[in-house]
Amino acid sequence: MDENKVIICRCEDVTLKEIRNAIREGFTTVEEIKRVTRSGMGPCQGKTCGLLIAKEISQMTGKPMEELELQNIRPPYGGITFEEVTKGTITENNK
């Protein structure tokens, strides 16, 4: 199996090769790699790929995992329908 074709971020289809290239280019934090590759920006907000990326950074840079900052995790958003918008049925309780 070609490790470079391994998908690290399933939400955004980011491969291990893309993560390694970003680290070689000097992006050595999870947040930086998130910004240049879009990993961790999908529906799961990096719950899976964030740790995998941190592990790769640790292996390639020699920094211990405990010293790496993980990405900022934001709360998930839910969608609303046009019907809810046009009928004005959105309230503070059902956002």
Side-chain angles (χ1 to χ4, degrees):
M1 175 187 243
D2 184 358
E3 288 188 354
N4 291 324
K5 292 182 181 178
V6 172
I7 301 291
I8 296 294
C9 177
R10 291 182 288 176
C11 299
E12 296 294 329
D13 288 335
V14 179
T15 65
L16 180 58
K17 180 179 181 180
E18 292 171 292
I19 300 299
R20 287 178 174 168
N21 286 342
I23 295 169
R24 284 188 196 106
E25 290 174 14
F27 301 103
T28 57
T29 68
V30 177
E31 194 66 31
E32 288 173 334
I33 291 174
K34 173 183 171 181
R35 293 176 193 277
V36 297
T37 66
R38 295 197 47 82
S39 58
M41 291 187 167
C44 83
Q45 292 289 292
K47 290 184 180 84
T48 302
C49 65
L51 288 174
L52 296 172
I53 293 168
K55 179 181 169 194
E56 197 62 30
I57 292 169
S58 176
Q59 289 177 345
M60 289 183 71
T61 64
K63 290 182 184 174
M65 286 281 288
E66 301 81 30
E67 293 182 14
L68 298 175
E69 287 185 34
L70 297 179
Q71 66 191 32
N72 298 328
I73 296 176
R74 295 175 178 87
Y77 288 92
I80 60 171
T81 65
F82 283 116
E83 182 180 10
E84 292 171 315
V85 173
T86 58
K87 288 185 177 179
T89 57
I90 302 296
T91 65
E92 284 295 317
N93 295 332
N94 68 0
K95 277 186 184 176

